Amino acid sequence: MGPRPLLVSLGCLALLLPPPGAAEFSPSLDSDFTFTLPAGRKECFYQPMRKEASLELEYQVLDGAGLDVDFHLLSPKGETLVFDERKSDGVHTVETEDGDYMFCFDNTFSTISEKVIFFELILDNMGEDGQDEEDWKKYVTGTDLLDMKLEDILESINSVKARLSKSVQIQTLLRAFEARDRNIQESNFDRVNFWSMVNLGVMVVVSAVQVYMLKSLFEDKRKSRT
C-alpha cells in the first residue's frame, strides 16, 4: 500500500510527533470531525499533504460560552499561515507543499467553559484522481468509432462526482449549523426558565411583605389598662 493521509489529534502540547493512542482518520478527500475542547486546553491536528495540492478547512464552534475559539494553521516549516482570534467559525484554503500541516484550536483563554467544535477537511489534487484518469486512458485506444468517447464519459462522471461531493459538504455544514442553533436555543430556554423562577420568587416575597405591612397598619396597638 502507498502512503496514507493521517490526521492525528494532540492535547495541549503542539509536538511534531503524534502521542501514543492518538486518533487516526482513514484516507479520505473529505472528512469531518466533532470534538469537545475543555476549558484552558489546546488541541492540535496534523494532515500530511502533497506538493501542489489544496487544503480547505472549515470550522464552527457549536456550543460553549461565547461560541469562540482561537485557530492556528501552520505550514510544514512552522510558519503561521492563518490565525483567527476568538472566532466562532472560519473557512480557509491554502495551496500546499510536501509535509505535515498542523492546525490547532486554542481554548486557553477560557477558564470555565468548554467548547464543542466541528471542522471539515477537503483535500484536492492528492494524486488519486490523476491515477484514475491514467487508468481510464488505457481503454481509450480503439474508441475512435464510438460516438461518445471515453474521455467524455469520464468528464461526465467527474462532473457528477464533484456535484455529489459538494452536496455532501453542504449537508454536513447544514447539520453543523442546525446543531449550533439547537444548542443556542436550549441555552436560551434554560436561561428564560431560570430568570422566570427568580422573578416568581421575588414576586412571592414582595407579596408576603406587603401583606405583613398592611396587617401591621391595622393592628390595635393600644395596651389594656388594669
Side-chain angles (χ1 to χ4, degrees):
M1 295 177 63
R4 300 176 62 189
L6 178 64
L7 191 62
V8 181
S9 172
L10 293 181
C12 0
L13 299 178
L15 302 178
L16 293 180
L17 293 177
E24 296 184 1
F25 290 81
S26 59
S28 175
L29 295 179
D30 183 5
S31 58
D32 55 84
F33 188 41
T34 301
F35 69 101
T36 299
L37 181 59
R41 294 285 299 277
K42 178 180 179 181
E43 288 283 348
C44 293
F45 301 83
Y46 286 89
Q47 175 61 50
M49 295 298 297
R50 298 181 180 181
K51 187 177 181 180
E52 297 181 352
S54 175
L55 169 64
E56 180 179 345
L57 190 149
E58 177 164 354
Y59 68 91
Q60 295 181 36
V61 182
L62 302 181
D63 195 15
L67 293 177
D68 55 359
V69 72
D70 290 344
F71 173 79
H72 305 259
L73 176 61
L74 283 75
S75 70
K77 298 179 181 179
E79 301 173 346
T80 300
L81 302 178
V82 177
F83 173 61
D84 290 341
E85 185 176 6
R86 306 289 292 272
K87 293 289 187 64
S88 61
D89 56 72
V91 181
H92 303 287
T93 303
V94 295
E95 301 298 322
T96 63
E97 57 187 21
D98 288 330
D100 295 336
Y101 282 76
M102 181 177 72
F103 55 96
C104 301
F105 298 94
D106 190 349
N107 194 32
T108 55
F109 60 84
S110 178
T111 58
I112 300 177
S113 176
E114 64 181 18
K115 306 294 172 61
V116 178
I117 299 174
F118 162 85
F119 68 86
E120 181 180 21
L121 287 177
I122 302 172
L123 313 180
D124 291 327
N125 301 325
M126 292 297 288
E128 297 179 1
D129 292 340
Q131 183 63 39
D132 293 339
E133 292 179 4
E134 292 296 328
D135 293 339
W136 273 95
K137 289 179 181 179
K138 296 178 182 179
Y139 301 96
V140 174
T141 305
T143 60
D144 296 337
L145 300 179
L146 298 177
D147 293 333
M148 178 178 290
K149 296 181 180 179
L150 291 181
E151 292 93 332
D152 298 329
I153 299 176
L154 178 60
E155 182 179 355
S156 299
I157 293 175
N158 287 334
S159 176
V160 173
K161 177 182 177 182
R163 292 175 183 273
L164 290 175
S165 177
K166 191 63 177 180
S167 299
V168 172
Q169 296 170 16
I170 293 175
Q171 290 176 356
T172 302
L173 293 178
L174 289 177
R175 287 197 299 269
F177 279 119
E178 188 273 336
R180 184 173 67 176
D181 293 341
R182 183 176 64 250
N183 290 329
I184 293 175
Q185 294 298 327
E186 290 177 352
S187 177
N188 291 337
F189 177 76
D190 293 337
R191 187 178 296 110
V192 168
N193 285 340
F194 172 76
W195 287 110
S196 297
M197 295 301 297
V198 170
N199 289 334
L200 180 61
V202 171
M203 291 175 61
V204 170
V205 172
V206 170
S207 299
V209 171
Q210 289 179 343
V211 170
Y212 173 78
M213 294 185 65
L214 287 173
K215 288 179 64 176
S216 65
L217 292 177
F218 293 96
E219 286 182 354
D220 189 3
K221 297 183 180 179
R222 292 177 301 174
K223 295 181 179 180
S224 59
R225 297 180 180 178
T226 56

